[in-house]
């Protein structure tokens, strides 16, 4: 796993006992002003969560975590917090993840010890790879039973060490409030990420004199993320931008995490810089803006990939030079100088060495950069990048993203495009595969309205993530775009939608395959379709929805598409729509493995260049094209 700038406690060996290892000792910024209250560790946990603004918890109970669920019962009765009972613990982790992505707040999920905790692992890894702030609470066997292979005992602390930002085993209920405060602080500051709290059953039951710890009442001396960029490096970045003729802004998920959308726009417009985003960065820049060139990378737009290949300055903002973006790394932006802005120093220079590294919070760095430009009267000129923008415009015209028009079937791209037309402001979640890439290509999402598993590529993510987003934002339209294979990974969460009336609209792009697997087998494995055909034993998704008490729909005819999507959106309640699309449609453009970004396959045929004959006017001598009947200068007939 990649290195992270985190508290040193995270990197401890699994062989070091918690009792003997030195721990970070927080310093209290203010003395408590309330009298202690006799309470259990479970009460302290739930009360601390409420004090940190938690309104929703996604989870599933079990033996070791029952004392905590007993406190949830009381807390729900008192109001102010709601537990959402998922149908599988993986659904809880993904729902908390979707909740966090949609709001920017810390998502919270619960599971019991043993299999309950291990069922969270994929969701925790998903959040870690995409830098999503979460607090995960797992039950554990009593302290005296730890290490004895007790019933439903697993070392979830050790199992998750590589996939969390930080983790704790709560050995003393006296520490509960402090550790919750630390967990929220660590999860949400610096580079965000998941934090695990493993709570033994007897710790949750034990009574003690409880003193609450409010948010912000602790600090960790060993954990001080750098938020302000180095002034000298910022000055160097300004000079590079001032001199560049072919600049490109390369914007990732860090810009969204930092809420730096306005600053990215200001910088792009100040120097007339085209903007491309990663899969995680979708929504950080208005894709309707004339400077937007869409997503780059393996299934990015042709014009974004050509632009990154030919740019002379690449300004990386909150991205990490992921392999799905760079293609052949040593040929990625090989003509460009690089400015890399990121809050995690471990990412700066990890894959590509920048000429100007700037470690800091993306929003604060961009704000300081813009302030400096304003003070010095520095900006781009219309002429500085006009030739570059004209070149990108020609690429856009020659290699557009095209929605196929099939006569006897529905193109999957047409489904995505119609959704985007009818629900342009919805929050969209996706699963992983071809439908994910088409959604990235054809939807134009606003900030935080694109919710997708990028780094880990987790099938089964879309439905529970949509559930979390909708719980967080009940007044917003939330649509899950899934594939027939991905959907079956966590389809049990239809029960959660039905239970709580969570009004998520789910659209299955059903081609009867593991679509991206089939595409790779066709392109690189001699059309040997090993274990990728999902059509045998495919469930009837309409009947499946009805079995859960949810409205189900099927679309097979292209003529039904517009009206059926309108019907889905108008329905007051969760809906599952099964759209049967062209079976063998491939997702293009595509950068093949081992190739650079300019070596894409599946590009539309470039229109032939018209040969234009140049003639001289017989009267005034002006150069004219032969297609003109009259000289535009003097009017003489040619």
């Amino acid at each position: 796993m990649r290195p992270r700038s985190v508290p040193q406690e995270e990197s401890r060996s699994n062989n070091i006992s918690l009792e003997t290892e030195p721990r970070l000792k927080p310093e209290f910024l203010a003395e408590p002003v309330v009298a202690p209250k006799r309470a259990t560790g479970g009460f302290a946990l739930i009360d601390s969560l409420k004090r940190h603004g938690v309104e929703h918890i996604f989870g599933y109970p079990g033996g070791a975590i029952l004392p905590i669920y007993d406190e949830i019962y009381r807390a729900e009765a008192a109001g102010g917090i709601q537990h959402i009972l998922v149908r599988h613990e993986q659904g809880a982790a993904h729902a908390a993840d979707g909740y966090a992505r949609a709001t920017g707040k810390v998502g919270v999920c619960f599971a019991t010890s043993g299999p309950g905790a291990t069922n969270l692992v994929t969701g925790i890894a998903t959040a870690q790879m995409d830098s999503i702030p979460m607090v995960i609470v797992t039950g554990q066997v009593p302290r005296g039973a730890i290490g004895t292979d007790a019933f439903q005992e697993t070392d979830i602390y050790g199992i998750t060490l590589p996939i969390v930002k930080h983790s704790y085993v709560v050995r003393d209920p006296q520490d509960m409030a402090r550790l919750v405060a630390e967990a929220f602080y660590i999860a949400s500051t610096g580079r965000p990420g998941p934090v695990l709290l493993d709570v033994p059953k007897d710790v949750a039951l034990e009574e003690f004199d409880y003193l609450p710890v409010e948010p912000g009442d602790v600090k960790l001396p060993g954990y001080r993320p750098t938020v302000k960029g180095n002034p000298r490096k910022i000055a160097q970045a300004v000079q590079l931008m001032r001199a560049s003729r072919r600049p490109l802004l390369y914007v990732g998920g860090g810009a969204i995490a930092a809420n730096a959308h306005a600053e990215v726009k200001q910088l792009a417009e100040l120097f007339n810089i085209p903007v491309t985003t990663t899969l995680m960065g979708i929504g950080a820049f208005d894709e309707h803006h004339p400077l937007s060139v869409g997503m780059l990378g393996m299934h990015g737009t042709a014009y974004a990939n050509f632009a990154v290949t030919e740019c002379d300055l690449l300004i990386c903002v909150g991205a990490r030079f992921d392999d799905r973006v760079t293609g052949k790394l040593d040929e990625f932006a090989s003509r460009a100088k690089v400015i890399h802005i990121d809050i995690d120093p471990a990412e700066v220079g990890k894959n590509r060495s920048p000429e100007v590294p700037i470690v800091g919070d993306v929003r604060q760095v961009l704000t300081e950069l813009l302030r400096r430009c304003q003070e010095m009267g520095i900006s781009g000129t219309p002429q500085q990048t006009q030739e570059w923008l004209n070149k990108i415009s020609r690429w856009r015209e020659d290699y557009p993203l095209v929605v196929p028009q099939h006569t006897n079937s529905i193109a999957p791209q047409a489904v995505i495009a119609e959704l985007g037309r009818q629900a342009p402001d919805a929050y969209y979640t996706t699963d992983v595969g071809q439908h994910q890439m088409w959604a990235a290509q054809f939807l134009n999402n606003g900030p935080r309205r694109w919710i997708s598993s990028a780094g880990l590529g987790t099938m089964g993510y879309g439905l529970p993530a949509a559930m979390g987003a909708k719980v967080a934002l009940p007044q917003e339209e939330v649509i899950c775009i899934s594939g027939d294979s991905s959907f079956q990974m966590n389809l049990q969460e239809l029960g959660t939608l039905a239970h709580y009336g969570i009004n998520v609209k789910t659209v299955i792009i059903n081609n009867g395959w593991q679509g991206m697997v089939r595409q790779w087998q066709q392109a690189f494995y001699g059309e040997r379709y090993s274990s990728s055909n999902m059509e045998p034993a495919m469930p009837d998704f309409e009947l499946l929805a009805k079995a859960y008490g949810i409205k189900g729909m099927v679309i097979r005819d292209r003529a039904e598409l517009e009206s059926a999507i309108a019907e889905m959106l108008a329905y007051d309640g969760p809906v599952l729509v099964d759209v049967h699309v062209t079976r063998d449609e491939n997702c293009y453009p595509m950068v093949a493995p081992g190739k650079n970004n300019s070596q894409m396959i599946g590009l539309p045929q470039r229109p032939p260049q018209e040969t234009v004959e140049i003639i001289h006017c017989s009267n005034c001598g002006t150069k004219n094209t032969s297609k003109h009947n009259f000289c535009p200068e003097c009017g003489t007939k040619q």
Side-chain angles (χ1 to χ4, degrees):
M1 298 299 294
R2 65 175 183 269
R4 291 227 181 192
S5 56
V6 294
Q8 58 195 26
E9 184 176 6
E10 178 187 336
S11 60
R12 68 165 68 98
S13 164
N14 292 349
N15 297 321
I16 300 175
S17 72
L18 290 169
E19 290 81 5
T20 60
E21 186 187 359
R23 299 175 61 84
L24 293 168
K25 297 295 184 183
E27 299 174 11
F28 284 87
L29 302 178
E31 290 296 324
V33 294
V34 294
K37 165 184 176 179
R38 201 71 182 160
T40 65
F43 175 87
L45 171 65
I46 301 303
D47 185 67
S48 297
L49 293 177
K50 290 173 69 175
R51 290 174 186 274
H52 282 79
V54 175
E55 297 176 341
H56 298 96
I57 298 166
F58 302 91
Y60 201 99
I65 203 171
L66 280 182
I68 294 172
Y69 269 80
D70 199 39
E71 294 296 343
I72 289 177
Y73 181 87
R74 295 186 178 93
E76 284 193 297
I81 199 165
Q82 182 186 20
H83 178 269
I84 305 294
L85 174 61
V86 298
R87 270 47 184 176
H88 190 286
E89 290 90 352
Q90 186 176 335
H94 291 329
D97 178 308
Y99 187 102
R101 295 194 203 216
T103 63
K105 299 177 181 178
V106 177
V108 179
C109 61
F110 281 10
T112 195
S113 65
T118 57
N119 279 343
L120 294 173
V121 167
T122 298
I124 297 171
T126 300
Q128 171 78 345
M129 287 290 282
D130 290 350
S131 304
I132 306 304
M134 285 172 52
V135 168
I136 302 103
V137 177
T138 52
Q140 186 54 275
V141 299
R143 285 167 288 189
I146 293 176
T148 68
D149 291 332
F151 176 67
Q152 289 194 333
E153 180 194 358
T154 57
D155 179 12
I156 195 63
Y157 173 91
I159 288 169
T160 58
L161 270 179
I163 56 168
V164 294
K165 185 177 179 183
H166 199 56
S167 54
Y168 302 92
V169 176
V170 186
R171 296 280 183 164
D172 188 336
Q174 298 272 3
D175 294 333
M176 184 70 77
R178 171 178 64 83
L179 296 184
V180 170
E182 287 185 23
F184 273 79
Y185 178 66
I186 292 169
S188 60
T189 56
R191 181 177 183 172
V195 177
L196 175 76
L197 286 166
D198 195 35
V199 184
K201 185 174 185 177
D202 57 331
V203 170
L205 286 167
E206 185 175 319
E207 289 191 351
F208 70 107
D209 291 331
Y210 168 56
L211 277 171
V213 177
E214 299 294 341
D217 274 3
V218 296
K219 67 176 182 179
L220 297 168
Y223 172 61
R224 290 178 178 162
T226 301
V227 294
K228 292 184 178 179
N230 183 293
R232 185 168 59 86
K233 296 297 182 184
I234 291 175
Q236 291 174 5
V238 170
Q239 293 307 316
L240 283 180
M241 285 186 277
R242 193 177 187 182
S244 172
R245 292 295 179 269
R246 299 192 309 279
L248 183 67
L249 267 164
Y250 157 43
V251 181
I256 292 175
N259 293 312
H261 319 96
E263 289 75 16
V264 169
K265 182 173 184 285
Q266 289 174 42
L267 180 62
E269 292 179 343
L270 183 65
F271 289 96
N272 295 305
I273 305 174
V275 181
T276 184
T277 66
T278 66
L279 187 65
M280 279 293 298
I282 289 175
F285 188 74
D286 181 3
E287 293 185 86
H288 296 285
H289 196 288
L291 289 172
S292 172
V293 293
M295 184 180 73
L296 83 166
M298 180 171 282
H299 291 285
T301 66
Y303 32 97
N305 283 332
F306 286 138
V308 79
T309 303
E310 296 197 14
C311 67
D312 65 7
L313 177 65
L314 186 65
I315 307 155
C316 177
V317 178
R320 57 187 179 87
F321 292 87
D322 173 72
D323 61 288
R324 287 297 174 104
V325 163
T326 64
K328 191 175 183 181
L329 183 60
D330 59 0
E331 295 182 15
F332 179 73
S334 57
R335 306 179 190 184
K337 294 181 178 178
V338 173
I339 300 167
H340 192 174
I341 305 170
D342 202 287
I343 199 165
D344 187 352
E347 290 295 348
V348 179
K350 185 181 77 174
N351 293 326
R352 173 69 181 267
S353 295
E355 278 70 23
V356 180
I358 305 176
V359 176
D361 176 81
V362 165
R363 187 176 185 182
Q364 291 198 36
V365 170
L366 292 183
T367 298
E368 177 59 24
L369 191 153
L370 290 164
R371 185 192 66 78
R372 184 165 299 208
C373 289
Q374 184 179 23
E375 287 181 352
M376 299 176 66
I378 295 173
S379 65
T381 64
Q383 296 76 29
Q384 182 174 337
T385 60
Q386 192 57 56
E387 185 177 342
W388 175 231
L389 295 174
N390 290 343
K391 191 170 191 177
I392 292 173
S393 293
R394 289 195 295 273
W395 287 329
R396 193 193 304 269
E397 291 172 4
D398 289 346
Y399 304 109
L401 292 173
V402 176
V403 176
Q405 300 298 317
H406 299 311
T407 304
N408 299 316
S409 64
I410 304 171
Q413 300 95 319
V415 182
I416 307 293
E418 186 61 28
L419 283 168
R421 189 185 70 80
Q422 294 198 34
D425 298 321
Y427 283 73
Y428 285 93
T429 72
T430 77
D431 273 295
V432 171
Q434 288 178 316
H435 67 273
Q436 178 190 32
M437 296 297 102
W438 284 317
Q441 291 174 346
F442 289 96
L443 293 175
N444 294 306
N445 302 86
R448 295 197 178 277
R449 293 171 189 265
W450 169 260
I451 299 171
S452 188
S453 171
L456 198 65
T458 307
M459 294 174 68
Y461 173 83
L463 179 60
M467 189 167 70
K470 186 64 175 180
V471 167
L473 303 167
Q475 302 308 312
E476 298 286 348
E477 187 76 72
V478 178
I479 299 172
C480 168
I481 299 175
S482 189
D484 53 272
S485 304
S486 285
F487 182 76
Q488 293 184 73
M489 293 270 186
N490 271 316
L491 61 79
Q492 76 285 336
E493 297 311 322
L494 291 175
T496 311
L497 298 185
H499 181 172
Y500 296 96
I502 302 171
N503 188 0
V504 165
K505 307 300 195 287
T506 303
V507 178
I508 298 174
I509 308 297
N510 188 347
N511 59 11
W513 293 95
Q514 299 161 28
M516 193 63 82
V517 173
R518 182 205 60 77
Q519 180 171 336
W520 278 59
Q521 288 172 333
Q522 177 186 345
F524 309 119
Y525 294 91
E527 300 186 11
R528 295 180 293 277
Y529 300 114
S530 174
S531 301
S532 55
N533 185 3
M534 298 295 286
E535 195 167 38
M538 176 79 70
D540 184 321
F541 290 115
E542 181 183 23
L543 291 180
L544 179 68
K546 290 178 179 178
Y548 278 99
I550 289 174
K551 180 179 176 64
M553 299 172 61
V554 181
I555 305 174
R556 292 187 174 88
D557 191 327
R558 182 176 159 194
E560 301 171 349
L561 185 61
E562 180 179 350
S563 61
I565 288 177
E567 180 184 347
M568 175 195 77
L569 293 172
Y571 184 78
D572 184 16
V575 183
L576 177 65
V577 182
D578 179 17
V579 188
H580 292 248
V581 299
T582 311
R583 273 185 61 83
D584 57 354
E585 189 74 37
N586 285 335
C587 185
Y588 294 128
M590 179 180 179
V591 178
K595 302 296 184 181
N596 69 44
N597 285 47
S598 66
Q599 296 172 309
M600 290 166 279
I601 59 176
L603 288 177
Q605 287 294 317
R606 188 168 186 166
Q609 298 297 311
E610 181 182 358
T611 302
V612 179
E613 181 186 358
I614 301 297
I615 60 175
H616 291 80
C617 175
S618 58
N619 179 46
C620 67
T622 300
K623 290 181 180 180
N624 297 298
T625 61
S626 58
K627 65 182 180 180
H628 289 152
N629 293 321
F630 295 89
C631 173
E633 185 67 27
C634 67
T636 301
K637 187 173 183 357
Q638 304 295 317

